[in-house]
């Protein structure tokens, strides 16, 4: 399947604001998780060679939906709502929790979840919310890799130190795949795609 996946043939299938809207098509799913403004939309656009298929929000965390991108009718790229937006009212945070938790616990095709891409801003490092998400993924035994975003923001020395800090972070199991990525330079794009291809078989 992977070798003949047409990345150009992609569209936003649905922005699901409720669990009942999750699509039931029996295809592999790769989910993107991360805090608001970590670069999930930029990663999707880079992978699919599009400039604005995934909209980069002017107000991070503004939309609480799960966006399902249909890639060649053979893969769903699933953009989970960003977390870590401190200024949001409690009821909106509750909706985020319910919707994201619902994806992992009430998704009709959770058995087709091939991989979670956990995005972490390399310059910022893992936030408390990131650590909580990493712990959840580990405890639930969900397959995940860490995508270290915005590598272009660091010089060579800073980058090496930040990557080493990620690799030795207690919330990240030692065998976790960590891929440095930059939407600006395209670094890591092929590594992410190859990992997806490997996991969806």
């Amino acid at each position: 399947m992977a070798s003949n996946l047409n990345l150009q043939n992609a569209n936003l299938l649905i922005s699901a604001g409720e669990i009942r809207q999750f699509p039931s098509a029996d295809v592999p799913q790769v989910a993107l998780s991360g805090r608001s403004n970590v670069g999930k939309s930029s990663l999707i656009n880079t992978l699919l060679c599009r400039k604005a298929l995934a909209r980069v929000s002017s107000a991070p965390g503004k939309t609480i939906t799960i966006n399902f991108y249909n890639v060649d009718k053979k893969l769903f790229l699933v953009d989970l709502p960003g977390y870590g937006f401190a200024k949001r009212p409690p009821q909106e945070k509750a909706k985020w929790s319910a919707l994201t938790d619902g994806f992992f616990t009430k998704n009709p095709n959770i058995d087709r979840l091939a991989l979670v891409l956990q995005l972490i801003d390399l310059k910022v490092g893992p936030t408390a919310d990131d650590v909580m998400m990493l712990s959840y993924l580990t405890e639930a035994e969900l397959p995940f890799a860490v995508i270290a975003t915005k590598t272009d923001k660091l010089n060579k020395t800073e980058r090496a130190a930040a990557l080493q800090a990620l690799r030795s972070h207690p919330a990240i199991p030692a065998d976790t795949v960590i891929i440095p990525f930059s939407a600006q330079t395209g670094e890591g794009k092929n590594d992410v795609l190859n990992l997806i291809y490997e996991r969806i078989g």
Side-chain angles (χ1 to χ4, degrees), residues 14 16-24 68 98-99 102-103 106-108:
I14 188 170
E18 298 178 34
I19 293 167
R20 61 180 178 81
Q21 294 176 304
F22 293 171
S24 57
F68 288 81
L99 194 60
F103 173 76
K106 297 174 183 173
N107 180 351

Side-chain angles (χ1 to χ4, degrees), residues 15-16 36 40 55 57 59-67 79-82 85 88 92 95-96 99:
S15 291
S36 300
K40 290 188 284 97
R55 297 304 176 116
S57 175
K62 185 177 180 181
T63 316
I64 304 179
T65 57
I66 295 181
N67 297 327
D79 184 10
L80 300 174
F85 31 89
R88 305 310 295 275
E92 291 195 16
K95 184 181 178 187
W96 178 90
L99 194 60

Side-chain angles (χ1 to χ4, degrees), residues 37-118:
N37 205 28
V38 73
K40 290 188 284 97
S41 297
S42 299
L43 176 58
I44 290 170
N45 289 331
T46 300
L47 294 178
L48 301 180
C49 307
R50 303 282 273 277
K51 287 187 176 175
L53 177 62
R55 297 304 176 116
V56 179
S57 175
S58 57
K62 185 177 180 181
T63 316
I64 304 179
T65 57
I66 295 181
N67 297 327
F68 288 81
Y69 295 90
N70 186 353
V71 184
D72 206 24
K73 297 183 179 177
K74 296 172 183 171
L75 168 70
F76 282 141
L77 279 182
V78 186
D79 184 10
L80 300 174
Y83 52 74
F85 31 89
K87 296 177 183 176
R88 305 310 295 275
Q91 64 268 28
E92 291 195 16
K93 291 185 181 181
K95 184 181 178 187
W96 178 90
S97 297
L99 194 60
T100 303
D101 183 67
F103 173 76
F104 292 113
T105 60
K106 297 174 183 173
N107 180 351
N109 281 321
I110 192 62
D111 59 318
R112 300 308 309 273
L113 180 64
L115 180 65
V116 177
L117 299 176
Q118 177 62 40

